[in-house]
Amino acid sequence: MFCSKKKSLEVERIVKANDREYNEKFQYADNRIHTSKYNILTFLPINLFEQFQRVANAYFLFLLILQLIPEISSLTWFTTIVPLVLVITMTAVKDATDDYFRHKSDNQVNNRLSEVLIDSKLQNEKWMNVKVGDVIKLENNHFVAADLLLLSSSEPHGLCYIETAELDGETNLKVRHALSVTSELGADFSRLAKFDGPDTKLMQNSGKTKFKRTSIDKLLNTLVLWIFGFLVCLGIILAIGNSIWENQVGDQFRTFLFWNEGEKNSVFSGFLTFWSYIIILNTVVPISLYVSMEVIRLGHSYFINWDRKMYYSGKSTPAEARTTTLNEELGQIEYVFSDKTGTLTQNIMTFKKCSINGKIYGEVPEDMGQKTDIPKKKEPMDFSVNLQADRTFQFFDHRLMESVKLGDSKVYEFLRLLALCHTVMSEENSAGQLIYQVQSPDEGALVTAARNFGFIFKSRTPDTITVEELGTLVTYQLLAFLDFNNIRKRMSVIVRNPEGQIKLYSKGADTILFEKLHPSNEDLLTLTTDHLSEFAGEGLRTLAIAYRDLDDKYFKEWHKMLEDANTLKDERDERIAGLYEEIERDLMLLGATAVEDKLQEGVTETIASLSLANIKIWVLTGDKQETAINIGYACNMLTDDMNDVFIVAGNTAVEVREELRKAKENLFGQNRSSSNGHVVFEKQQLELDSVVEETITGDYALIINGHSLAHALESDVKNDLLELACMCKTVVCCRVTPLQKAQVVELVRNYRNAVTLAIGDGANDVSMIKSAHIGVGISGQEGLQAVLASDYSFAQFRYLQRLLLVHGRWSYFRMCKFLGYFFYKNFAFTLVHFWFGFFCGFSAQTVYDQWFITLFNIVYTSLPVLAMGIFDQDVSDQNSMDYPQLYEPGQLNLLFNKRQFFICMAHGIYTSLALFFIPYGAFYNVAGEDGQHIADYQSFAVTMATSLVIVVSVQIALDTSYWTVINHVFIWGSIATYFSILFTMHSNGIFGIFPNQFPFVGNVRHSLTQKCIWLVILLTTVASVVPVVIVRFLKMDLCPTLSDQIRQRQKAQKKARPLRSRRPQTRRSSSRRSGYAFAHQEGYGELITSGKNMRAKNPPLTSGLEKTLYNSTSWIENFCKKTTDTVSCFSQDKTVKL
C-alpha cells in the first residue's frame, strides 16, 4: 500500500521563514538531486530484473534448471551456469560503473555550498542540506541552489538580474522583484527557499530516467523466441523419432542392456529425449553471444572517448560515451531533435553590416568580388585610438570610420540612434572599464558598435541619457520610452537634445517600420529593402532604423494624452498602443542593421551532411518565432528555394486544425486532405502515410508556435500534425516548453517507428533528451544538467556528424556483421546434432565430445568474431563523412533484420549438412591407410570438429573487410589454439590424470595422421565456402552497393579524396524575406522610466563605479530586527503562502 501511494497534487505551500522545525512537519522534499538509477540496496534486485527482461537470459536460466535433472541431461550443468554467471556479472559491473559516475556527478552538485541563515548567523551549508524555508544569501555570479523567493537585494527597489543559461542556454538577463514588505531587509541578495530537490522546476521538467534498449536488442528478443520455437519443433521431431525407434528397434536391445520388460515405454522415452535435445541444441543461441555483444559495445564506446577529432581543445573537453549499450543505435537515426540556443548557436551577437542612407558598410564576402567599388581589407579596423572601445569588437570595412571622420550627418544620426534607443545599463568595473549589462544580446551588439565608432553610451537616469559623442559628453532628456513587445515589434525613445530639439528614434522589424515611413523615403526604401534582402539571405538578424523630428507643441499635447491614458482602468493598454501608433508615423528612414547570431563552428556543414544522410532535423526552441526562423536560414535548414514554408500560429484547436488542413492541401491535394481531416490516430494510417511520403516532391518546412503546438498535440489533431511534419524537410517549433519538447519527441518515436536523437545543452532539454532513443548533451558553459541526463556528450554540435556518420555507422555495421556470423556459425555447429540423431537411434548422443562443445564458443571462435565486431570497417572514416548516403542502410535496417537472419540460418543449415554428410559418406565402409576401419565414433567426431573450426575460420576471413594485426593473430591463432588443445586433451598424460573426463585418448594421432582424413576436411571446407564466394562475387559484380563501389575506389586510389557534395544555394526571387529578429522582452522601458533599476544617488567613486554593499552583519541584524513586524505582514501565525 505504501509503495503504490502517489503524491497528491500540491495546491498551496505554507512556509515559515527561517524555522526548520515548523516547516519539517509538512514533509517537504529535501534538496538532494538524484539522476542515478540505483543505490546499494536496490542495485541487485533492479539490475537483475532489467537483465532478465532479456528473453535470452531467462531462456538460459530455464536451460540451467533442466541440466540439473540427470534423467534428461547429457551435458554437465557447468557448461551453462559458468557463462550465464559471467554474463550477468559483467553486465552488472558495467551498469554499476555507469551509475557510479552518475552518483559522482550528483555529489558534485549536492555538495556545492550556499550561505544559509542559521541561528541568526550565516553558515556555509551544502546544497543537499538546504531546507524549505531557509533564508539564503546570494552574491554576484553565485549559482542558485533551489527555487527561491527574492526577499531583498542590493539593487534599488529590490531588483535583481538573473542569468538562466544553465536552464535554457540563454545569456539574456532576466529581472526579478523582491516582495515589497521584505525589500528593505538588507543589501545583499537574500532569498527564501520554497521548492527543494525533486520539487524544483528543473527536476520537475527533467522527467524520469528510462531504461533504454536498442532496436537490435528488441529484435534479438524476438529472434530468441523464434529460435526457441524452432528448437521445440526439432525436439518434437527427434522425440517422435525416438518413440518410433524405441517401439520398433529398441526392444531388441533391452536384453543386452539388462532392462526388464515394461521398465521403459517408448512414449516416456520420447518425452525424456525431447528435453535432452532441447539442452543439446540450445547452443544455437549461446550465452557467449551476449558477452561478446557487451565487449564489442564497450570497445565502440572507448573509440568514441578516444577520438581526437571529437576533442574540443578550447575547453579541453573530449567526447564521452556515458552509456555502452546504445552504440549501434547511433547508426540508425532518422530524426534529430535539437535545441537552438547554446546547441546550434553560441548566443553571441556580433555587428556585421549596416545600411546607412542607401550605402552598405561591412565585411565583404569572398564570393562578391563583383563589387569592386568596395575595398576588401582583410585586417580588422584598429580602434585603439578610442580608449573606451570594446577590444573584442571587429569590423572590416574602414569606410564607415572614414564617413564618421568626414562628419556625415546621416551616419552620425544612425550611430546616435544606436546609442540612445535601447534598455542597456552601464557600470564600471574595478579597473575603470565601461561594462554594459544587457537584457538582449542584440542590443549589446548594436550599442557596442556605436561605442566603437565614437558614440559611447555612458549612463542613464530615469530622465536622462548621457552619451559621449566623439569625445564630447552630451546629455539627452528622456521624454518618453515606447517599449518593445511582440505585437509592435519595435521600440522607440523620444529625447530632447541640448539644442532643444525633440526627436523620436525608432528601431524594429522592417515589415512594420516601413509602413510608418514618410512618402518622401520611397527611393531610399527601395535601396534599403534590397540591402535587407541581401542581409537576410546571409542569415543575419536585421532591424530597420528610422527617426522623426517632433514639434514641441505637438509633443506636449500627445504626452498629456499619454498621461491620461496611463490613469485609465479600462482599455488602458489599447489606448496607450493607439497613442504609440499615432506618434510613430511619418518617420525618416536612416537605414538598417545586420547582426550575426553566431552559429557554433561547423553547424551549417553538419546539418547539410546529415540532410544528405536522410536524417530529418527538427529544432525545438523556447525562442521567438522570428529568432528561430532566422537561425533556420542562417544554418541552411530553411532556404529561399523551398517550395513553401508553412507557419501554424492558431490560438484555438479549430484554427490550428484549419491551418494544418490548408498546408496538407498544398502537399497532397484537396481530396486527400479533406478525407484525412479527422482520422483517428492509428499506426496503420501512419504506415500508409509513409508510402505517400515517397511521392512528395519539393522541399517544404513547417514552423509552429508553442501555443499552437499545445492544440496540435491533442488526440484528434496530432495525426494531421505528424503527417504534415514528417513530409517536411525542416520543422521548427518555437516558444515550446520542456514538456512540449518531450511530447514532440515521443510523438515521433511512438507513431513513426523511427529511431530518434535529441541534443541540447540546458536543463530545459533534459526531458527531451530522456524521451529520445539517444540523448546527447552539449557540455558547454550552460551547466551540466543536459550532460548528466545524456547518453553521449561532447562540446560542439559539429561533432554530431562524426558521432553518427562514422562511429554510429561503424557500430551498426560491425554489430550486424557480428550477429550474422554468430548465428551462422552456431547453426552450423548445433544442427549437426540433429542430423546425427537419425543415425544414433535418437538417443540424444552428442556428436562432439563435451569439451569441444564447451570450448567452441568460449575459446575456438570467440576472439576472431570479437576482432571483426570491434575493428572491422567497410570504408574509411573520411569516406563515411564524404558520402553521407552510406548511412541510409542503417535507417532502413538493411544489414541485420528478420530476412537477414533467415539467410544466415539457411547458410548455417547448409554448412551443417556439408559438415555431417560429407564425412559420413567418406567414412562409410572405408578402411584407413593401415588397413583398419576408420569409421569409429571418435574419429568421426574429430574430423567434423576440425572441419567446423576451419570452415568458420575461413568464413570469418571472407567476412572481414578491414584487416589488422589483431585480426590475423586471432583468426589463425584460434586454429592453432584448437589443435594445441585437441592434441593435449587426446594425449596419454591428460588421460592418466583425468581418465573419466578425457576418454578420447590417442584418437587425434590415429586420425589426423591419415591423408584421407585431411582430404575429407578439405572437401568439406571447399563445399561449404565456394558457394558463398560465388554468390558474393556475382552480387558485387552485377549489383554492387554504394559501399562496394567506394571500397573499390578506396583500394584503387588510396590517396584520392572525393569532393564533398554541396547543395546549390539559390534564393527565391518571387518574394522578399524579412531577416528581422530581436531577442527582447517587454517591460524594460517601464523599469527605466520609473527608475526602479537605478540608484537614488551615485556612491562615492573609489575605482570606477564600485558598488557599496552593506556588510553581512548589518543584513542579518536587519533581518532579525524586522522578523517580528515584517514577517507578521504575511500572516498572523508568521507563515507565508506561496
Side-chain angles (χ1 to χ4, degrees):
M1 292 295 292
F2 291 103
C3 295
S4 61
K5 185 178 180 180
K6 294 184 178 179
K7 184 179 179 180
S8 59
L9 183 64
E10 193 172 12
V11 178
E12 66 176 6
R13 176 161 285 205
I14 301 174
V15 178
K16 184 179 288 187
N18 202 31
D19 191 339
R20 287 189 172 185
E21 184 178 352
Y22 175 83
N23 296 323
E24 282 176 357
K25 69 181 182 180
F26 297 101
Q27 297 182 347
Y28 296 129
D30 61 23
N31 201 37
R32 186 189 299 268
I33 67 165
H34 303 273
T35 61
S36 54
K37 295 168 60 178
Y38 316 107
N39 58 40
I40 294 177
L41 296 178
T42 63
F43 173 75
L44 192 60
I46 293 178
N47 189 261
L48 287 176
F49 173 76
E50 289 176 349
Q51 290 203 56
F52 281 104
Q53 280 186 313
R54 281 181 172 172
V55 176
N57 286 346
Y59 166 66
F60 288 118
L61 181 62
F62 172 69
L63 287 176
L64 175 62
I65 295 172
L66 290 181
Q67 283 183 282
L68 295 176
I69 303 174
E71 286 79 9
I72 62 174
S73 178
S74 56
L75 292 174
T76 54
W77 57 270
F78 65 82
T79 59
T80 298
I81 194 171
V82 173
L84 179 62
V85 172
L86 180 65
V87 168
I88 291 178
T89 302
M90 287 182 62
T91 305
V93 169
K94 177 186 68 65
D95 292 340
T97 302
D98 290 344
D99 209 57
Y100 166 75
F101 288 110
R102 294 192 189 98
H103 276 285
K104 191 174 180 181
S105 299
D106 289 345
N107 289 335
Q108 288 178 352
V109 176
N110 288 328
N111 289 323
R112 286 179 179 174
L113 297 177
S114 282
E115 290 187 89
V116 181
L117 185 63
I118 301 176
D119 297 329
S120 300
K121 62 180 180 180
L122 286 173
Q123 299 181 16
N124 284 330
E125 188 74 278
K126 293 180 179 179
W127 277 19
M128 61 183 176
N129 297 327
V130 171
K131 305 293 185 182
V132 172
D134 283 355
V135 177
I136 300 172
K137 175 192 174 185
L138 290 179
E139 294 182 349
N140 195 29
N141 295 323
H142 274 197
F143 286 103
V144 179
D147 285 357
L148 304 178
L149 176 70
L150 181 62
L151 299 178
S152 65
S153 167
S154 60
E155 294 295 310
H157 302 281
L159 295 183
C160 80
Y161 300 89
I162 62 171
E163 182 183 275
T164 58
E166 193 162 333
L167 292 174
D168 53 20
E170 297 282 356
T171 56
N172 305 353
L173 295 179
K174 279 81 172 177
V175 174
R176 295 295 180 265
H177 298 257
L179 295 173
S180 58
V181 293
T182 61
S183 59
E184 302 302 325
L185 283 176
D188 296 315
F189 299 118
S190 55
R191 299 185 175 221
L192 177 71
K194 54 178 183 175
F195 293 101
D196 284 352
D199 290 339
T200 59
K201 274 188 178 180
L202 188 153
M203 297 303 293
Q204 289 287 316
N205 283 326
S206 294
K208 293 183 179 180
T209 301
K210 298 179 180 178
F211 177 60
K212 295 183 178 182
R213 290 186 296 166
T214 67
S215 56
I216 285 183
D217 277 334
K218 297 173 183 176
L219 176 61
L220 281 180
N221 275 350
T222 302
L223 295 182
V224 167
L225 290 174
W226 286 6
I227 291 172
F228 184 73
F230 177 67
L231 292 185
V232 169
C233 293
L234 295 182
I236 290 173
I237 293 172
L238 294 170
I240 293 173
N242 177 265
S243 296
I244 294 173
W245 189 90
E246 283 288 342
N247 186 51
Q248 297 182 358
V249 184
D251 290 339
Q252 303 173 18
F253 289 88
R254 288 180 182 172
T255 304
F256 175 74
L257 296 175
F258 303 102
W259 285 355
N260 296 323
E261 188 71 25
E263 205 172 271
K264 184 177 181 183
N265 62 59
S266 59
V267 175
F268 184 69
S269 175
F271 174 77
L272 294 179
T273 301
F274 169 80
W275 293 110
S276 298
Y277 272 112
I278 290 295
I279 295 173
I280 291 173
L281 299 176
N282 81 83
T283 51
V284 175
V285 186
I287 195 69
S288 59
L289 169 67
Y290 290 94
V291 177
S292 303
M293 286 180 66
E294 295 299 335
V295 172
I296 289 171
R297 285 169 171 167
L298 184 64
H300 295 170
S301 298
Y302 277 112
F303 288 157
I304 294 173
N305 296 342
W306 293 338
D307 192 343
R308 290 182 176 273
K309 294 182 180 179
M310 295 173 66
Y311 176 80
Y312 184 54
S313 58
K315 293 183 178 178
S316 300
T317 305
E320 181 183 5
R322 296 174 53 81
T323 181
T324 59
T325 58
L326 304 173
N327 296 323
E328 64 269 15
E329 199 95 314
L330 291 170
Q332 298 182 277
I333 302 298
E334 294 181 59
Y335 290 87
V336 169
F337 300 90
S338 174
D339 181 39
K340 183 192 77 68
T341 306
T343 303
L344 298 177
T345 68
Q346 302 179 40
N347 204 34
I348 298 175
M349 307 295 178
T350 56
F351 184 84
K352 299 293 288 186
K353 293 185 177 184
C354 62
S355 171
I356 305 177
N357 199 28
K359 190 174 183 180
I360 289 183
Y361 299 92
E363 181 182 359
V364 183
E366 291 278 351
D367 58 353
M368 296 182 66
Q370 67 270 21
K371 296 192 176 181
T372 54
D373 58 317
I374 301 180
K376 291 194 284 186
K377 297 184 179 181
K378 300 303 179 188
E379 292 296 324
M381 293 180 59
D382 183 11
F383 294 102
S384 59
V385 177
N386 184 351
L387 298 180
Q388 299 190 68
D390 188 330
R391 303 305 176 195
T392 62
F393 179 81
Q394 287 189 330
F395 202 75
F396 293 86
D397 190 350
H398 293 242
R399 295 174 303 120
L400 182 54
M401 184 60 80
E402 293 168 2
S403 297
V404 172
K405 293 177 180 178
L406 292 173
D408 189 322
S409 61
K410 293 295 185 181
V411 173
Y412 278 19
E413 198 73 348
F414 182 91
L415 295 174
R416 185 177 292 118
L417 185 150
L418 298 185
L420 290 170
C421 185
H422 56 78
T423 60
V424 175
M425 301 297 295
S426 65
E427 61 181 21
E428 290 186 14
N429 61 15
S430 58
Q433 296 174 328
L434 189 62
I435 303 297
Y436 289 151
Q437 298 291 347
V438 298
Q439 186 270 332
S440 157
D442 300 78
E443 287 201 322
L446 298 178
V447 175
T448 300
R451 168 183 177 176
N452 278 54
F453 285 105
F455 286 74
I456 306 168
F457 166 66
K458 297 288 289 184
S459 63
R460 73 182 336 134
T461 70
D463 304 315
T464 64
I465 301 175
T466 301
V467 177
E468 183 180 322
E469 298 183 358
L470 302 176
T472 304
L473 280 178
V474 180
T475 299
Y476 292 85
Q477 184 181 356
L478 180 60
L479 303 177
F481 198 107
L482 285 58
D483 203 3
F484 171 90
N485 64 37
N486 289 329
I487 299 175
R488 285 168 38 76
K489 295 185 179 180
R490 64 190 183 278
M491 71 159 57
S492 303
V493 293
I494 301 176
V495 297
R496 189 193 302 273
N497 63 21
E499 290 77 27
Q501 298 173 319
I502 299 178
K503 288 183 177 286
L504 180 146
Y505 293 112
S506 185
K507 66 181 181 186
D510 51 301
T511 54
I512 302 294
L513 214 60
F514 285 174
E515 297 176 358
K516 309 293 182 183
L517 296 180
H518 191 274
S520 62
N521 290 271
E522 186 174 347
D523 293 339
L524 180 57
L525 175 60
T526 303
L527 273 174
T528 307
T529 300
D530 292 339
H531 296 165
L532 284 167
S533 297
E534 183 179 321
F535 297 159
E538 296 170 16
L540 302 177
R541 302 157 65 99
T542 61
L543 289 174
I545 304 296
Y547 76 100
R548 179 187 179 187
D549 293 318
L550 297 177
D551 179 76
D552 192 31
K553 180 180 178 183
Y554 169 74
F555 172 74
K556 288 181 178 178
E557 293 174 354
W558 177 86
H559 195 261
K560 179 64 171 62
M561 290 188 289
L562 181 64
E563 289 177 340
D564 294 340
N566 278 317
T567 61
L568 295 177
K569 292 184 178 179
D570 299 326
E571 299 182 352
R572 174 180 176 272
D573 294 338
E574 292 80 0
R575 178 62 177 155
I576 292 175
L579 289 171
Y580 286 178
E581 291 283 334
E582 179 183 330
I583 202 168
E584 291 174 325
R585 58 182 174 84
D586 294 334
L587 301 177
M588 301 301 296
L589 183 61
L590 280 172
T593 61
V595 172
E596 179 186 22
D597 186 358
K598 297 192 76 169
L599 295 172
Q600 287 196 12
E601 183 183 348
V603 164
T604 303
E605 294 80 3
T606 299
I607 290 175
S609 182
L610 295 181
S611 297
L612 289 173
N614 200 32
I615 296 174
K616 294 185 177 181
I617 301 177
W618 293 20
V619 176
L620 311 179
T621 177
D623 275 355
K624 294 186 297 185
Q625 179 176 303
E626 296 87 356
T627 306
I629 291 175
N630 191 274
I631 290 298
Y633 279 98
C635 58
N636 288 339
M637 292 177 60
L638 300 173
T639 59
D640 288 318
D641 61 336
M642 280 184 160
N643 297 71
D644 207 346
V645 177
F646 307 119
I647 297 179
V648 178
N651 292 312
T652 65
V654 175
E655 292 177 359
V656 172
R657 184 184 292 112
E658 181 64 20
E659 290 176 358
L660 292 173
R661 183 188 63 80
K662 290 180 179 179
K664 288 170 63 180
E665 285 179 4
N666 292 340
L667 279 172
F668 309 129
Q670 178 71 32
N671 293 333
R672 172 161 166 68
S673 182
S674 60
S675 64
N676 282 351
H678 304 282
V679 176
V680 177
F681 194 38
E682 296 179 352
K683 291 187 178 181
Q684 291 84 353
Q685 175 63 40
L686 293 174
E687 291 171 1
L688 176 63
D689 294 336
S690 64
V691 177
V692 178
E693 184 176 347
E694 302 298 328
T695 66
I696 300 298
T697 58
D699 291 336
Y700 297 87
L702 173 65
I703 298 162
I704 184 169
N705 281 318
H707 57 268
S708 303
L709 185 62
H711 297 296
L713 290 173
E714 295 176 359
S715 59
D716 59 338
V717 186
K718 60 183 177 182
N719 181 28
D720 294 333
L721 168 67
L722 187 61
E723 183 181 1
L724 174 63
C726 292
M727 303 302 163
C728 293
K729 176 186 174 184
T730 299
V731 177
V732 180
C733 300
C734 321
R735 287 295 190 194
V736 292
T737 64
L739 177 61
Q740 285 178 323
K741 290 184 177 184
Q743 288 174 331
V744 171
V745 173
E746 289 175 352
L747 182 67
V748 176
R749 172 175 177 161
N750 295 335
Y751 295 99
R752 292 297 296 183
N753 196 26
V755 181
T756 58
L757 180 146
I759 179 170
D761 70 316
N764 63 340
D765 301 316
V766 168
S767 57
M768 171 178 74
I769 287 172
K770 289 183 177 180
S771 297
H773 292 91
I774 301 288
V776 177
I778 301 291
S779 52
Q781 60 185 1
E782 288 79 19
L784 295 175
Q785 280 78 11
V787 172
L788 292 176
S790 66
D791 305 304
Y792 301 88
S793 67
F794 41 72
Q796 295 279 290
F797 180 84
R798 69 178 186 269
Y799 298 144
L800 181 64
Q801 178 183 4
R802 187 168 179 85
L803 181 70
L804 299 186
L805 301 188
V806 178
H807 292 287
R809 183 181 166 278
W810 278 352
S811 294
Y812 174 72
F813 169 78
R814 292 162 175 165
M815 186 61 72
C816 291
K817 289 191 71 173
F818 162 79
L819 291 173
Y821 173 78
F822 212 98
F823 281 118
Y824 152 74
K825 76 179 179 68
N826 282 286
F827 270 104
F829 165 61
T830 304
L831 291 183
V832 171
H833 293 294
F834 179 76
W835 312 125
F836 184 62
F838 289 90
F839 297 90
C840 68
F842 306 96
S843 61
Q845 171 68 42
T846 58
V847 72
Y848 313 112
D849 71 281
Q850 290 194 10
W851 285 105
F852 180 81
I853 295 174
T854 303
L855 298 176
F856 177 75
N857 282 300
I858 297 177
V859 177
Y860 300 150
T861 60
S862 60
L863 294 181
V865 73
L866 280 178
M868 182 179 71
I870 294 175
F871 300 108
D872 202 31
Q873 51 183 262
D874 53 345
V875 298
S876 66
D877 59 339
Q878 188 59 53
N879 279 328
S880 295
M881 300 275 280
D882 289 337
Y883 295 95
Q885 296 86 350
L886 288 168
Y887 190 79
E888 292 188 25
Q891 297 170 321
L892 301 175
N893 203 22
L894 296 180
L895 300 187
F896 187 77
N897 48 38
K898 294 173 183 176
R899 178 176 176 273
Q900 291 297 320
F901 167 74
F902 283 117
I903 291 174
C904 296
M905 180 178 175
H907 185 194
I909 292 173
Y910 166 76
T911 302
S912 70
L913 285 167
L915 285 170
F916 179 79
F917 285 103
I918 290 178
Y920 180 82
F923 283 6
Y924 191 76
N925 288 332
V926 173
E929 297 173 7
D930 55 1
Q932 296 181 1
H933 201 282
I934 62 173
D936 61 277
Y937 164 72
Q938 293 184 348
S939 299
F940 183 64
V942 168
T943 303
M944 275 198 301
T946 305
S947 300
L948 174 63
V949 171
I950 293 176
V951 166
V952 296
S953 298
V954 172
Q955 184 64 49
I956 199 170
L958 292 175
D959 288 346
T960 301
S961 304
Y962 182 76
W963 284 87
T964 66
V965 174
I966 296 176
N967 293 88
H968 283 289
V969 171
F970 282 180
I971 292 176
W972 315 125
S974 293
I975 297 177
T977 301
Y978 163 73
F979 282 109
S980 300
I981 295 176
L982 185 66
F983 278 97
T984 302
M985 289 195 303
H986 290 212
S987 65
N988 294 329
I990 197 77
F991 174 76
I993 301 173
F994 305 104
N996 295 327
Q997 301 297 326
F998 299 96
F1000 280 35
V1001 58
N1003 182 264
V1004 173
R1005 290 194 306 275
H1006 172 72
S1007 300
L1008 296 185
T1009 54
Q1010 303 190 48
K1011 296 177 182 178
C1012 62
I1013 298 292
W1014 286 104
L1015 288 174
V1016 170
I1017 293 172
L1018 177 62
L1019 178 61
T1020 304
T1021 304
V1022 171
S1024 301
V1025 172
V1026 168
V1028 178
V1029 175
I1030 294 173
V1031 170
R1032 292 188 181 180
F1033 174 79
L1034 292 176
K1035 185 178 179 182
M1036 187 176 296
D1037 189 58
L1038 299 178
C1039 50
T1041 63
L1042 178 61
S1043 175
D1044 295 332
Q1045 297 172 17
I1046 295 173
R1047 188 161 58 248
Q1048 291 299 324
R1049 191 178 310 168
Q1050 188 173 287
K1051 290 178 180 178
Q1053 298 177 337
K1054 291 184 177 180
K1055 296 183 180 180
R1057 295 287 180 90
L1059 295 175
R1060 293 180 181 234
S1061 303
R1062 293 190 182 273
R1063 300 188 61 176
Q1065 297 181 10
T1066 58
R1067 296 201 300 268
R1068 288 180 295 195
S1069 57
S1070 57
S1071 62
R1072 185 181 77 82
R1073 176 179 65 82
S1074 171
Y1076 160 72
F1078 192 44
H1080 202 284
Q1081 294 180 348
E1082 184 179 2
Y1084 273 77
E1086 184 179 349
L1087 273 177
I1088 289 172
T1089 55
S1090 67
K1092 288 183 177 180
N1093 61 337
M1094 302 175 195
R1095 303 187 184 280
K1097 60 181 180 179
N1098 291 330
L1101 298 178
T1102 55
S1103 60
L1105 294 175
E1106 289 185 342
K1107 297 181 180 179
T1108 56
L1109 303 176
Y1110 294 107
N1111 58 40
S1112 300
T1113 306
S1114 64
W1115 175 79
I1116 298 170
E1117 289 175 352
N1118 286 339
F1119 179 82
C1120 297
K1121 180 180 179 182
K1122 292 199 174 186
T1123 298
T1124 54
D1125 49 359
T1126 304
V1127 179
S1128 65
C1129 296
F1130 299 151
S1131 65
Q1132 291 184 353
D1133 60 351
K1134 299 183 182 180
T1135 62
V1136 57
K1137 295 182 180 181
L1138 306 178

